[in-house]
Amino acid sequence: MRSNFLTIIFLLNSFLLLGQQRHKDIPFTQDYAIKYEGAVAAKAVDFDRNGHIQVLAESGLKRLTPGQLLVPGKIVDDNLYRFMGDKSIVDLTQVDQQLVYLDEKVIFSNAWAGSLYIEHQVESPIGFLALNKSEFLVYNPSVVTHIRAGKKVREIKLQDAIKELALGSHGGYYVLTDKAVFEGSLNSASLKSVFAKPGVVSMAVHEGHLVLAHESEGLLFLDKQHKLQKADHRLPSLKLTKVRSIDGQLWIGSDEGAFKLAQNGRYDYYASKRWLNNDRVVDIKKGPQTSVLILNAGGLSKIVFEQMTLAQKAEFYEKQSRIRHIRNGFNSHLFGMKDGDISTGYLVDSDNDGLWTSMYLASQAFRYAVTKSPEALQNTRESLDAMERLYSINPVKGFPARTFERTGHKSKLGDPEHWQKAAEKDWDWKATTSSDEAIGHIFAFGVIAEVVDVPELKQQAVKLIDSMMTHIIENDMYLVDFDGKPTLWGKWNPSYVNGFDKNIGDRKLNSSNIIGMLQTAYHFTKKPKYKEKIQELFDKHGYLENLMRPMEEIGKADKQSDNLSQLLSVYWNHSDDEMYFLGYWGLYRYALNNDLKEKYKASIIDHFEAERPEKDAVWNIMTAMTGVKDFALGDAMWFLQEYPMDLIQWTIKNSQRSDIDLLEKNFRNQYTKEVLPPDELKISRHNANRFILDGGHDGAAENSAGDIWLLPYWMGKYLQVID
C-alpha cells in the first residue's frame, strides 16, 4: 500500500513539472587555478610534450613542484639538466612540443638527442621566434636576424626599439617597436610599416587579424588591410601588458589581472588570488592539455579548463564540506587562515550556525531522497543531532540556542557577552537566537519529515518542529530567551508585525515566515492549535494580506516613521530574501488548502520576478517548486556552473572595470545592470548582495559549499529540474 502511495505522489509531482524546463547534466567547462608561488623576476614560460613546465627568470631556469587546486606548488631552481646552469639563457619557446632555448650565443635544445645546436651570431639577443626546428628569427633591440639551417639568411635593422615578434597568418611575421608595427616576409630583406602608433605594448594575430594592446586606449582590432577596425576600451583593465591568441581565444594580460574575450562579447576576468599570485601579468602562454599559463609578478598560475558535470562538481564540494567544515555536526566555515593556506585555519562558531547547518542539512536530506546514499543519511543524522542539541543544551523549553562550543577563553568566541554557561560540563551556549535561525530550523526539519523515509529521523524532526512552535505559541508569538525577554528579532506577535507600515519589509516577511512555520507544524503534527493560530492571524490580524503584498510596494519608510522602521528600510536587506525563500517551502507545500496554495504561488512568483536579476540558484529552484514554467532555469544552472571551486574569501576588486554597466543608486542596491559571474565576485552566501563589486578578507577564511552550493543543487535534483 505504501509503495502505491509513493508512486502516486511521484506521478503527481511529475504532472506538476510537465512543461517545466529540465537541465540535462552534460559536461560543461569548469575553470580553476593551480598556483605556483615564487617572485622570481620571471620573463617567459613554456612546456614540452611531457607536461614539463619551465619558467625563465633573471636568475636562470626554474621548474615547478607539484601543486593542485587550493594547495599551491612552488617555483624552484631547475637542476634536472646540470649543465644548463652554465648557459646564459635569454628566451625559451616550444617547437614540435619540445623546449628550445636561446642563449647569448646559440639556439639549442635537449630534445632530439640534443642535436639542435645553432650559433646565431646575434649580438646581445633578447628574444626569438621559431618557424620550425631549423628556422628562427632572432632579435636584439634593433636588429631582426633570419637564420635557416644554421646559417644567417639576412639581417633587418630598425630605428626604433623592438618589443616583440609574432607569426603572421600567411607565413610572414610582424615586428612591434615602440612606435609602430611592421610586417615582414621570410623572402624579403625589408619590413613594411603597417600601423604607426606609439604606445602599443603587445600584439597577437587572432583569427587572421592583428590585435594590439595599447597602454591607454585598450585593444585595437585591425582588419586584413591593417586599418583600425575598432578600439575596445570597455575592458576589466586598461593597464595592458600582453595580448595572446590561444586555441582560438583572445587572452589579455594587465597590471590588474588577466581576461579573455568570450563568445558572448563579454570578458571573463581572472584576477585576485583566487586566480593569480599577483595581478601584474608578465606573459600568457598555452599550457598542457587545455590549460593556460599566466606568468605574473608573484609566480605562475595554471588556469585549468576541465570538462565536468554538476554531479562531479557536487562530489568535489561534498568532500570539501566534510573534510574541513563540520564542527560538532554544524556546517561551519574555516577561519584564521594565513593568506589562503587552508592548513592554518580553524573551525569557528557563528551566530548563524543553526541557519547554515539547516541549509546543509536540507541538502543532505534531498541528496538521500534522490540517491539513497548511506553517506548522505549519516550526514543527515549527525547534523540533525547537532540541531537537536541546540534545544537541549539550554534551560528554556523549545528554545534553540544560536550555537554551542566547549568552554574556553571567551575572547576566542564571537560576541562573548552573549554566551551562557551550560549545565553540561565543559560546554557553553549562545543566546539571542534570531528569526532567520528559526525559519532555517523549520525549513530543514520539514524537509527531513517529508523526504527522508527513515521513521526515527522523521520523528526526531517532527518533535523539534513541535517543540519550537509550541514555545512560540505559548510565549505569545515570541522567541523568549533565558532572561524571560523576547530576542531582538524573534518576534511574530501581531502588535510587533503590524506595528510596521505596510511598505516595510518586515511586516510582509514576518507574516510570511510565521504562517509557513505554523503550517509546517500542523502538517506534520495535526495539532489543532497550529491551524487555529493560522486562522487567528489571518482573520484578526491580516497576515494573509501582509504576506500577499506585492514586492513593488515594499520600500523605504516615510520620514515620520519610527526609528526601527527607518533602520530596517535604509536599503533592501538580502538576508530577508534568504528567509523568505526558505520559508516558502513550508508556506507552499504545506498550505492548508488549494485556494491558499494558489495565492502563495502568486506571491512567490512575484518575489522571484523581483529577484530574477540576481540569478541566485536557491531563489530560482525554490520557485520551480510551484510548477511555474519560467523560473529562469538557465540562470540557476549558470550560478551552479560558474560558482568557483575555490571558496576562500580572497579580496576581490571589480569597481575599476569599464566593461560593466553601472546603475544609479537604488533601494535594492543593484549596482550593475547585469550581475557578474560568481567566480568574479567575492565569496558570499545567499543572504548577501550579489551586486557588490569589491570585498573579501585577504584569504583569511574559507566558506563551506554546504549551504552555498549543495542546497540548490540537491533541491534541484529532488524537484527534478536537474536530470
Side-chain angles (χ1 to χ4, degrees):
M1 187 71 178
R2 176 176 173 79
S3 175
N4 291 336
F5 176 75
L6 290 175
T7 300
I8 292 170
I9 292 297
F10 175 80
L11 291 173
L12 286 173
N13 191 39
S14 298
F15 176 77
L16 278 174
L17 291 170
L18 284 176
Q20 278 192 317
Q21 291 178 304
R22 298 177 69 176
H23 174 77
K24 185 171 179 61
D25 191 15
I26 60 176
F28 63 95
T29 302
Q30 176 67 57
D31 48 0
Y32 59 89
I34 300 176
K35 292 174 288 187
Y36 300 88
E37 300 169 340
V40 293
K43 300 189 294 183
V45 61
D46 227 313
F47 73 100
D48 65 15
R49 61 183 293 270
N50 301 314
H52 175 57
I53 298 171
Q54 217 166 26
V55 174
L56 176 62
E58 289 183 0
S59 58
L61 288 172
K62 309 291 179 181
R63 64 182 178 88
L64 310 178
T65 65
Q68 57 183 305
L69 173 62
L70 301 177
V71 185
K74 294 186 180 299
I75 299 176
V76 298
D77 291 340
D78 192 341
N79 298 315
L80 291 177
Y81 282 84
R82 293 172 294 162
F83 296 101
M84 293 286 284
D86 297 333
K87 301 291 186 182
S88 298
I89 299 172
V90 297
D91 200 3
L92 81 166
T93 192
Q94 187 191 98
V95 179
D96 296 339
Q97 296 186 307
Q98 302 289 1
L99 287 169
V100 177
Y101 308 94
L102 171 73
D103 85 346
E104 291 181 343
K105 295 181 179 180
V106 299
I107 299 168
F108 70 101
S109 176
N110 295 315
W112 308 291
S115 61
L116 175 56
Y117 187 90
I118 300 170
E119 295 184 11
H120 54 68
Q121 299 177 351
V122 176
E123 184 178 351
S124 303
I126 60 173
F128 71 144
L129 189 65
L131 307 175
N132 53 60
K133 193 171 70 169
S134 61
E135 193 168 7
F136 299 88
L137 296 173
V138 182
Y139 61 97
N140 63 22
S142 60
V143 178
V144 177
T145 301
H146 184 184
I147 297 172
R148 180 186 294 148
K151 296 181 180 181
K152 184 185 296 185
V153 177
R154 62 181 60 88
E155 287 184 343
I156 304 174
K157 295 184 179 181
L158 291 97
Q159 293 181 343
D160 305 316
I162 299 173
K163 291 185 175 181
E164 62 182 29
L165 270 60
L167 281 175
S169 56
H170 301 291
Y173 63 96
Y174 293 99
V175 180
L176 173 64
T177 73
D178 54 6
K179 292 184 180 179
V181 179
F182 296 85
E183 184 179 27
S185 168
L186 297 177
N187 300 315
S188 173
S190 63
L191 296 174
K192 179 177 69 172
S193 176
V194 296
F195 191 78
K197 190 176 187 66
V200 177
V201 297
S202 185
M203 64 179 174
V205 177
H206 180 64
E207 297 180 342
H209 296 250
L210 259 180
V211 182
L212 310 177
H214 194 274
E215 62 184 8
S216 61
E217 298 182 22
L219 291 177
L220 308 179
F221 293 82
L222 308 187
D223 62 20
K224 290 187 177 180
Q225 286 71 45
H226 305 116
K227 302 296 184 183
L228 181 61
Q229 189 176 36
K230 69 172 181 175
D232 190 356
H233 63 275
R234 285 176 55 83
L235 306 174
S237 173
L238 288 173
K239 300 176 181 178
L240 306 185
T241 59
K242 292 291 177 183
V243 59
R244 295 286 183 260
S245 182
I246 299 174
D247 292 335
Q249 293 186 314
L250 190 66
W251 280 86
I252 304 96
S254 76
D255 283 344
E256 297 172 309
F259 41 99
K260 70 180 174 75
L261 182 60
Q263 290 182 344
N264 59 6
R266 74 173 300 275
Y267 288 94
D268 295 332
Y269 191 31
Y270 298 89
S272 83
K273 289 189 176 181
R274 177 181 297 154
W275 300 105
L276 308 176
N277 312 80
N278 185 290
D279 280 347
R280 188 178 189 286
V281 175
V282 176
D283 200 5
I284 305 177
K285 287 282 184 69
K286 175 179 170 57
Q289 288 87 46
T290 55
S291 68
V292 170
L293 304 176
I294 302 181
L295 199 59
N296 57 76
L300 175 72
S301 285
K302 181 166 71 171
I303 310 298
V304 177
F305 296 90
E306 181 177 330
Q307 291 300 296
M308 181 180 293
T309 62
L310 289 177
Q312 290 169 323
K313 193 169 183 177
E315 184 178 356
F316 172 85
Y317 281 144
E318 292 287 356
K319 292 176 181 177
Q320 183 256 18
S321 62
R322 295 307 300 180
I323 201 167
R324 292 196 297 279
H325 292 281
I326 301 300
R327 181 183 69 85
N328 300 325
F330 290 126
N331 174 50
S332 301
H333 70 280
L334 209 60
F335 194 71
M337 291 161 46
K338 297 178 181 177
D339 198 27
D341 184 350
I342 56 177
S343 69
T344 61
Y346 56 86
L347 290 168
V348 68
D349 62 277
S350 164
D351 264 8
N352 295 114
D353 273 342
L355 175 59
W356 311 140
T357 305
S358 293
M359 298 170 78
Y360 171 69
L361 179 54
S363 82
Q364 296 307 292
F366 287 132
R367 179 187 172 197
Y368 174 72
V370 170
T371 66
K372 300 305 177 190
S373 160
E375 179 185 276
L377 182 61
Q378 183 60 23
N379 296 345
T380 302
R381 288 184 190 278
E382 292 178 10
S383 288
L384 184 58
D385 286 346
M387 297 290 287
E388 183 177 44
R389 196 176 182 212
L390 291 172
Y391 293 78
S392 63
I393 200 168
N394 77 81
V396 184
K397 185 177 180 181
F399 178 83
R402 280 189 179 272
T403 186
F404 53 79
E405 186 53 278
R406 292 191 183 277
T407 299
H409 199 286
K410 284 196 172 184
S411 64
K412 296 181 180 179
L413 299 172
D415 303 322
E417 68 276 12
H418 294 147
W419 285 82
Q420 308 298 320
K421 190 73 184 120
E424 301 175 35
K425 189 176 181 180
D426 199 33
W427 289 97
D428 295 337
W429 65 278
K430 194 171 189 178
T432 73
T433 304
S434 180
S435 54
D436 51 359
E437 296 288 293
I439 191 62
H441 288 214
I442 298 300
F443 162 65
F445 300 155
V447 168
I448 292 170
E450 178 182 352
V451 311
V452 177
D453 57 356
V454 179
E456 63 268 26
L457 291 184
K458 285 180 176 288
Q459 293 167 10
Q460 188 178 4
V462 173
K463 180 180 177 182
L464 291 170
I465 294 170
D466 192 30
S467 177
M468 178 194 279
M469 297 313 298
T470 296
H471 170 96
I472 291 172
I473 286 181
E474 290 180 351
N475 285 282
D476 199 20
M477 306 308 289
Y478 292 106
L479 268 183
V480 174
D481 215 331
F482 72 98
D483 58 3
K485 300 177 182 179
T487 64
L488 180 60
W489 302 113
K491 300 174 181 178
W492 302 274
N493 182 281
S495 63
Y496 173 81
V497 172
N498 290 333
F500 294 110
D501 290 338
K502 292 182 178 180
N503 68 315
I504 303 302
D506 279 48
R507 180 165 176 158
K508 175 180 170 71
L509 171 65
N510 286 30
S511 298
S512 178
N513 274 186
I514 194 61
I515 295 302
M517 292 161 70
L518 289 165
Q519 285 183 168
T520 303
Y522 178 70
H523 181 84
F524 290 109
T525 69
K526 298 302 183 217
K527 292 184 177 180
K529 63 181 178 180
Y530 297 123
K531 187 175 183 180
E532 291 166 3
K533 181 56 69 174
I534 293 169
Q535 290 302 143
E536 176 191 330
L537 294 176
F538 279 170
D539 298 341
K540 294 184 179 180
H541 303 291
Y543 274 39
L544 180 59
E545 178 188 351
N546 288 346
L547 71 86
M548 290 296 297
R549 185 159 290 109
M551 274 293 168
E552 65 180 10
E553 296 182 14
I554 305 301
K556 290 188 176 183
D558 298 329
K559 292 182 179 179
Q560 65 269 23
S561 297
D562 62 89
N563 291 336
L564 183 57
S565 295
Q566 297 282 355
L567 175 67
L568 292 174
S569 62
V570 173
Y571 51 81
W572 183 251
N573 186 343
H574 291 264
S575 194
D576 290 355
D577 291 326
E578 186 173 71
M579 295 172 64
Y580 272 116
F581 278 93
L582 294 184
Y584 287 156
W585 185 267
L587 186 71
Y588 179 79
R589 294 181 80 84
Y590 313 136
L592 297 181
N593 55 59
N594 288 334
D595 181 57
L596 282 174
K597 198 166 196 175
E598 285 302 306
K599 287 183 169 66
Y600 298 154
K601 176 179 178 178
S603 182
I604 293 169
I605 294 172
D606 172 69
H607 189 180
F608 161 71
E609 290 298 339
E611 301 302 328
R612 185 189 285 265
E614 291 191 14
K615 301 183 180 180
D616 188 293
V618 170
W619 312 162
N620 298 22
I621 292 172
M622 189 71 80
T623 302
M625 164 187 65
T626 67
V628 64
K629 289 184 179 180
D630 179 14
F631 56 93
L633 173 65
D635 291 343
M637 297 307 103
W638 173 84
F639 177 98
L640 294 175
Q641 290 178 352
E642 291 286 332
Y643 219 89
M645 299 182 75
D646 179 347
L647 299 185
I648 293 173
Q649 293 182 14
W650 297 114
T651 297
I652 304 293
K653 186 171 182 288
N654 287 291
S655 56
Q656 86 288 349
R657 296 173 63 167
S658 58
D659 64 323
I660 53 180
D661 295 312
L662 301 178
L663 298 181
E664 295 292 331
K665 186 176 180 181
N666 54 78
F667 176 64
R668 299 187 68 84
N669 278 352
Q670 181 177 338
Y671 301 112
T672 57
K673 184 178 179 181
E674 296 285 339
V675 68
L676 291 174
D679 62 359
E680 296 179 17
L681 297 170
K682 70 184 183 74
I683 295 299
S684 59
R685 294 183 169 100
H686 299 285
N687 65 335
N689 180 1
R690 296 195 56 246
F691 288 94
I692 292 176
L693 295 174
D694 302 338
H697 298 286
D698 295 326
E702 183 192 49
N703 280 78
S704 168
D707 52 285
I708 294 175
W709 199 93
L710 293 176
L711 173 60
Y713 173 74
W714 286 113
M715 182 164 58
K717 293 282 285 183
Y718 179 76
L719 293 175
Q720 300 178 44
V721 296
I722 303 175
D723 280 341

